[in-house]
Amino acid sequence: MFRSLRQWFLTFNRDHSPNASPSGRTRRKRVKRNQTLAILLVLLGLGAGLSLLPSASAQTSVQQRENTLIRELSLPNRSATPPNFQPAPRPAPAVRRAAPAQPTQPSRPAARPAAPASPTRPAANPQPANPPAATASPAAPKPEPTYQHVIEFNRSPVVGNRLRMEGVYPTARLGFNRPRQWDVKTAKLVLRFQHSPSLLSDRSSLTVRVNDTSVGSVPLNRPNSQIGQVVFEVPSNLIQDYNEISILAEQQTNEDCTVATDPTLWTEILPDSKVILDYALESVPLDFSRYPFPFIDTLSLDTNQITYLRPRAYSDTWLNAAAIFQAEAGRIVDFRPLNTRLVGSLDNLQWNDRVVILGTPAEQPVLSDLSLPLPIRNGQLLDGNNTPLPGDTGVLMLTTLKDNGLPVLVATGNSAAGVQKAVQFLVQTKEAQIGTGQVLTVTNLVNEPSPAPREWPGYLPTRNSFTLRDLTTLGGQNFEDITVHGTNAPPIEIPFRALPDDRFSRGSRMRVDYSYSAQVDPRTSTVEVRLDDVTIGSKRLNSAKGGRDSLDVDLPAALIQPDSQLNVVFNLNPRSAEVCGLSRDQSLWGTLHGDTDFNLKRDIFTRMPDLRLLQFGYPFTAPQDLSETAFVVPSAPRDADVRTMLAVSERLGRLSRANSVNLQVYTGGNLPAEARGMNLVGIGARDRFPLPEVMESGGFELRNLFSRGWRGSRVQALPDGQGVVKLMVSPNNGDRAVLAITGQSEQGLTDAADVFKRDPLFSQLNGDTVLISRNKPNPSPNDPYAYKLDILREEPLQQVQRTGFLSRISIFIQDNWFLLPTGILLISLLLYGISQLYVNRLAKSGEVK
């Protein structure tokens, strides 16, 4: 810039110099003025240039940093459109036809067949077969295919064989979900019911509401308890993600006033009542902002399905990543069912599979055949500049399969560290929230700190004094003031789950803080406290004007368990029995306040081994991120070993709540010495079991040649298809446990894994050893009697305490109270002997005469 100004200045002087033109004095003055103006312009340009120097330097520095970043990791060109997942309907099962001439209706949710064309008369003026293109009518748009799904009431655990409604104004509630990709077109509610013949037909009725909107009523006028059926049309705009069906009944047996306790006041909703949904399937772009959908849909009415693609060989990295991912999947589905499969090829997939591919491109060569946003060359993931990604960078990608459109989740990297980082990002719930797009490169990940071993969400707080507001509902929300209405007010349910290593003593108390309305009868109205359906306290509502009061209740130490539930029941009766009606009933109310406080007396103490504690995850879920638990599988794992590992990790995920999963998996020959002091889960058939010392530690034993022993007895069983689940205290750490899941064959190992998959079997665990055998060759997942469990207890229970010295003495005295009289007698004799020796010594010395 300065060079250009100088050249312009010299040219200006040459062209306007005094000697350049013979114009006289006036021209010379004009030249001087121009020279002065030029000098001013030069000075202004110089100042402007100096002022731009810092910004130009800063811009150069920023550009250098950007270029450096681009050289380190260059992102690929953004794809024009993200992959869309179009769900497929459930395929119609093959139907055997009794006669070929009889057509059968397609099974749900197959697409509805198009209406058959109605016969038409031949036209009077026949048209040519191939009309001109100009006169051809445009093709009608193809109708959107719709499908049908039926939700029967017996799928709900509150229905069972029937849903009974008793009282004058009873209410029943049921809930159902709408899957995320369903566009509901029409909805119907088919209600089948049966009622008492004593009900007055002109004053008794059923009213149905869907999401607090009435959809219809029906009178209860069936004679002799005949079964009635009514169909309610539900507007499609009422159907939401979470839906509630409320059935309100009015049951009257007297024209003047019906007694609410009359046993003839009943109506039963039959279990074959159902909701019929006609819907269309919507496609959804795959995006990590929607994760875990569509791989896990918490709104799905079908069982969620996760399908892992088997790598070339099971490495420690793959096993660890799969166990962590499966544990987090168990947390997400919670109480919902989840199926898991292992496939060796993408050709062996089903209609509802959600494919998960873990591992490096070398472990999963199929990645090169998928349509991914990052290219793969020579077994390496490349960035936008065709440069291999750093080994410690994790990569997460979403795509679909070309053949069937099934969604695929890829967690990969150019090394084992990258794969581990990618999976760890997904299971750290706080970090996973920032994910979006089709591809994520995890360059840096801060590990979530491990919670305290006794910090269990959903259980009682670790401090002994707390209030109701410190407890949480089943949905994870803190309790607040709760109000119930009516003479048949439902109980207020409070989860009161003690930690598995809590041992309560006498003196635990609860102060119930409550209030009630002014319309109650103080002679017959009460508030009642129940612990696991055992009444532990009650009090009469003794004020006719209502008000606020409290009730002190002693909490029995023996009743507080890890699955306990506390119920506060308001038994409300009106003062004026002659006044009837819904308004009178709803004017009665009782409120449990959040100021209700608890004061517990407890010690940290338990006994192991006890498989009943495993029903709550203890001690493997302490702490809740599973950081003190390690799986040990054979050196060369087989599919049966991996399926068992996934079943156990899923169960531990269901039983724990944390912001991360830090589970470890080792093969038999790679178990480090520092991991032997952790909680260990050994998996494998007997001849390949990675922890053989467990089967030789006493109690039940499996030996070679199909021999087994217990209590010194030895037998040989051929064939031996039983599975074995055995728990023992760790020989390397008295506060830890070792769980063995084994069998003489892979069939036995599979049956042992089924115990962790099925809730009815898992809830039966007890003792220290369980033997599992089949009652049927191919047991149904819904058959609770398909398996037989034999409970054994041989190993002596060992005390695991984390208390002070005085507390241990107190626990010892409580457990061995029968030794207390003997101890007092021995101490008395000892003191008597010491006193006699002292008296005799004094007598010999002459001090005592």
Side-chain angles (χ1 to χ4, degrees):
M1 181 182 67
F2 298 112
R3 184 177 302 175
S4 301
L5 289 173
R6 180 174 177 274
Q7 184 66 29
W8 174 83
F9 181 75
L10 294 176
T11 306
F12 183 88
N13 286 339
R14 184 177 63 252
D15 295 339
H16 299 82
S17 62
N19 299 325
S21 175
S23 48
R25 182 179 300 177
T26 302
R27 185 173 296 277
R28 286 196 299 269
K29 291 180 179 181
R30 186 180 300 172
V31 171
K32 289 182 180 181
R33 286 197 305 268
N34 291 337
Q35 290 176 349
T36 304
L37 179 60
I39 293 173
L40 290 176
L41 291 175
V42 171
L43 293 177
L44 289 174
L46 180 61
L50 292 176
S51 64
L52 291 176
L53 282 177
S55 60
S57 177
Q59 184 177 3
T60 303
S61 177
V62 172
Q63 186 176 3
Q64 289 177 352
R65 290 197 297 267
E66 290 179 351
N67 293 336
T68 303
L69 179 60
I70 292 174
R71 284 196 301 269
E72 291 178 354
L73 179 59
S74 178
L75 297 179
N77 294 328
R78 184 166 55 181
S79 57
T81 56
N84 281 354
F85 168 52
Q86 176 64 47
R90 180 192 295 272
V95 180
R96 294 183 179 180
R97 293 181 173 87
Q102 286 290 337
T104 59
Q105 295 293 333
S107 175
R108 71 174 198 278
R112 288 185 170 183
S118 58
T120 57
R121 297 180 180 179
N125 298 322
Q127 300 292 330
N130 297 319
T135 60
S137 60
K142 187 177 181 180
E144 184 180 16
T146 58
Y147 311 94
Q148 189 175 93
H149 189 87
V150 177
I151 307 172
E152 296 183 350
F153 277 25
N154 58 10
R155 293 186 60 176
S156 174
V158 302
V159 176
N161 296 325
R162 85 285 186 276
L163 180 61
R164 191 175 182 89
M165 305 174 65
E166 297 176 331
V168 181
Y169 300 104
T171 301
R173 292 179 175 86
L174 294 172
F176 68 93
N177 302 332
R178 178 194 62 184
R180 299 180 190 277
Q181 294 179 278
W182 284 17
D183 180 16
V184 177
K185 302 299 183 181
T186 62
K188 295 179 181 179
L189 174 60
V190 180
L191 196 66
R192 291 172 53 81
F193 59 92
Q194 192 176 16
H195 62 81
S196 169
S198 301
L199 299 183
L200 299 177
S201 59
D202 58 337
R203 300 191 60 188
S204 303
S205 63
L206 281 180
T207 301
V208 178
R209 297 176 181 172
V210 176
N211 296 330
D212 292 332
T213 301
S214 297
V215 295
S217 299
V218 59
L220 299 177
N221 55 5
R222 271 56 175 179
N224 301 323
S225 300
Q226 293 181 0
I227 295 177
Q229 176 174 313
V230 62
V231 179
F232 297 101
E233 296 288 341
V234 181
S236 59
N237 58 354
L238 290 181
I239 305 301
Q240 306 169 4
D241 289 346
Y242 296 94
N243 304 278
E244 182 183 70
I245 300 174
S246 301
I247 305 174
L248 296 82
E250 181 180 2
Q251 304 179 131
Q252 302 286 351
T253 57
N254 192 289
E255 293 287 351
D256 298 328
C257 187
T258 301
V259 180
T261 57
D262 188 350
T264 62
L265 297 174
W266 63 266
T267 298
E268 291 185 353
I269 307 301
L270 301 183
D272 54 352
S273 300
K274 52 195 172 184
V275 178
I276 302 176
L277 301 177
D278 293 330
Y279 64 94
L281 294 173
E282 297 179 334
S283 63
V284 175
L286 294 181
D287 197 298
F288 277 106
S289 62
R290 299 184 179 92
Y291 183 82
F293 180 80
F295 300 94
I296 298 177
D297 186 3
T298 55
L299 300 177
S300 176
L301 296 176
D302 294 309
T303 300
N304 284 281
Q305 176 76 47
I306 293 181
T307 302
Y308 293 94
L309 180 63
R310 187 189 303 111
R312 283 182 171 179
Y314 291 119
S315 63
D316 288 3
T317 302
W318 192 94
L319 294 171
N320 195 71
I324 290 176
F325 186 89
Q326 188 72 11
E328 181 64 17
R331 288 180 180 173
I332 296 173
V333 298
D334 198 9
F335 57 88
R336 304 170 185 87
L338 174 65
N339 286 340
T340 304
R341 292 201 308 139
L342 285 170
V343 295
S345 171
L346 295 180
D347 299 329
N348 304 323
L349 298 177
Q350 301 174 357
W351 68 276
N352 64 335
D353 279 340
R354 305 295 183 261
V355 185
V356 177
I357 302 178
L358 308 175
T360 63
E363 293 176 314
Q364 300 284 9
V366 72
L367 293 178
S368 301
D369 302 329
L370 299 179
S371 176
L372 299 175
L374 291 181
I376 298 176
R377 186 180 304 163
N378 298 327
Q380 293 284 311
L381 288 161
L382 308 179
D383 60 10
N385 291 332
N386 293 328
T387 303
L389 295 177
D392 60 346
T393 298
V395 179
L396 295 165
M397 292 179 284
L398 298 174
T399 187
T400 56
L401 298 179
K402 295 180 179 179
D403 297 335
N404 45 34
L406 294 177
V408 180
L409 171 64
V410 178
T412 183
N414 284 335
S415 70
V419 176
Q420 183 70 23
K421 186 179 292 185
V423 176
Q424 197 66 35
F425 174 84
L426 290 179
V427 302
Q428 291 191 186
T429 54
K430 294 182 179 179
E431 278 75 10
Q433 295 176 355
I434 67 175
T436 187
Q438 181 191 358
V439 57
L440 293 174
T441 55
V442 186
T443 56
N444 187 30
L445 182 64
V446 179
N447 291 329
E448 190 74 21
S450 180
R454 305 188 75 249
E455 184 181 338
W456 288 33
Y459 286 76
L460 296 180
T462 55
R463 59 184 183 276
N464 290 332
S465 297
F466 53 90
T467 65
L468 179 63
R469 290 189 174 90
D470 297 321
L471 301 181
T472 57
T473 65
L474 294 177
Q477 303 295 324
N478 289 89
F479 277 97
E480 295 294 341
D481 295 352
I482 305 174
T483 301
V484 293
H485 295 266
T487 55
N488 295 316
I492 300 174
E493 299 179 350
I494 305 171
F496 204 71
R497 306 172 63 188
L499 292 172
D501 57 354
D502 276 341
R503 175 164 177 152
F504 294 87
S505 56
R506 295 179 181 178
S508 298
R509 301 194 63 82
M510 167 189 180
R511 185 182 63 83
V512 183
D513 189 3
Y514 64 94
S515 58
Y516 53 96
S517 66
Q519 303 297 327
V520 299
D521 184 359
R523 297 175 302 171
T524 59
S525 301
T526 61
V527 59
E528 181 182 358
V529 180
R530 301 173 187 170
L531 184 58
D532 291 337
D533 296 329
V534 177
T535 300
I536 59 176
S538 65
K539 185 178 181 180
R540 191 176 67 179
L541 306 180
N542 51 15
S543 175
K545 297 181 179 180
R548 188 162 180 166
D549 202 349
S550 63
L551 168 64
D552 289 331
V553 179
D554 181 67
L555 297 173
L559 292 182
I560 307 177
Q561 301 295 327
D563 55 352
S564 293
Q565 179 170 284
L566 198 67
N567 290 340
V568 178
V569 184
F570 285 94
N571 301 309
L572 306 174
N573 294 312
R575 276 189 301 174
S576 302
E578 66 277 4
V579 179
C580 296
L582 182 60
S583 59
R584 182 215 64 176
D585 185 77
Q586 292 301 306
S587 67
L588 306 178
W589 57 265
T591 299
L592 177 66
H593 295 284
D595 296 331
T596 297
D597 61 73
F598 302 85
N599 190 3
L600 306 180
K601 306 292 182 182
R602 57 182 170 178
D603 297 304
I604 306 174
F605 168 72
T606 188
R607 291 186 176 93
M608 290 196 305
D610 188 357
L611 283 172
R612 186 178 180 276
L613 297 176
L614 185 60
Q615 297 181 22
F616 314 104
Y618 186 84
F620 300 92
T621 55
Q624 291 275 281
D625 65 345
L626 310 179
S627 57
E628 291 295 329
T629 298
F631 285 20
V632 188
V633 297
S635 298
R638 299 175 181 172
D639 287 352
D641 305 324
V642 177
R643 282 193 289 265
T644 305
M645 178 198 72
L646 295 175
V648 180
S649 61
E650 176 190 331
R651 176 60 63 175
L652 294 182
R654 292 177 184 266
L655 296 173
S656 60
R657 291 291 178 271
N659 293 327
S660 181
V661 180
N662 293 316
L663 187 66
Q664 299 294 324
V665 180
Y666 302 97
T667 53
N670 298 329
L671 181 62
E674 58 272 14
R676 293 188 175 272
M678 302 170 62
N679 295 308
L680 299 180
V681 180
I683 297 173
R686 186 210 59 81
D687 57 342
R688 305 172 60 251
F689 193 71
L691 302 173
E693 62 273 12
V694 176
M695 289 292 118
E696 301 172 358
S697 60
F700 181 81
E701 299 177 353
L702 288 179
R703 296 184 177 273
N704 55 358
L705 300 178
F706 295 94
S707 65
R708 49 173 54 192
W710 190 51
R711 292 183 176 180
S713 301
R714 292 284 186 271
V715 298
Q716 282 183 304
L718 188 67
D720 186 353
Q722 279 191 331
V724 179
V725 177
K726 181 177 179 179
L727 183 68
M728 62 172 290
V729 177
S730 174
N732 302 300
N733 189 339
D735 294 338
R736 307 298 183 191
V738 178
L739 179 65
I741 305 173
T742 183
Q744 287 282 14
S745 62
E746 289 192 357
Q747 181 60 59
L749 183 62
T750 301
D751 291 346
D754 288 342
V755 174
F756 293 87
K757 293 180 181 178
R758 307 185 181 189
D759 294 339
L761 298 179
F762 188 73
S763 61
Q764 300 180 40
L765 290 179
N766 209 334
D768 57 53
T769 305
V770 176
L771 307 180
I772 305 100
S773 56
R774 294 186 178 188
N775 292 331
K776 300 178 181 179
N778 297 311
S780 170
N782 300 322
D783 188 357
Y785 306 103
Y787 291 85
K788 178 186 177 183
L789 271 63
D790 295 320
I791 310 297
L792 306 179
R793 181 177 290 283
E794 176 64 20
E795 296 188 8
L797 293 175
Q798 301 181 24
Q799 296 183 359
V800 178
Q801 304 181 15
R802 296 182 178 89
T803 59
F805 178 73
L806 295 179
S807 297
R808 296 193 179 196
I809 294 177
S810 175
I811 293 173
F812 177 80
I813 294 175
Q814 293 177 27
D815 292 341
N816 304 277
W817 59 269
F818 54 88
L819 298 177
L820 188 59
T822 305
I824 293 176
L825 180 60
L826 292 176
I827 293 175
S828 300
L829 292 176
L830 179 61
L831 294 176
Y832 177 77
I834 293 175
S835 63
Q836 288 299 315
L837 290 175
Y838 181 71
V839 170
N840 291 337
R841 180 175 297 179
L842 292 179
K844 290 180 180 179
S845 63
E847 296 181 7
V848 179
K849 295 183 179 180

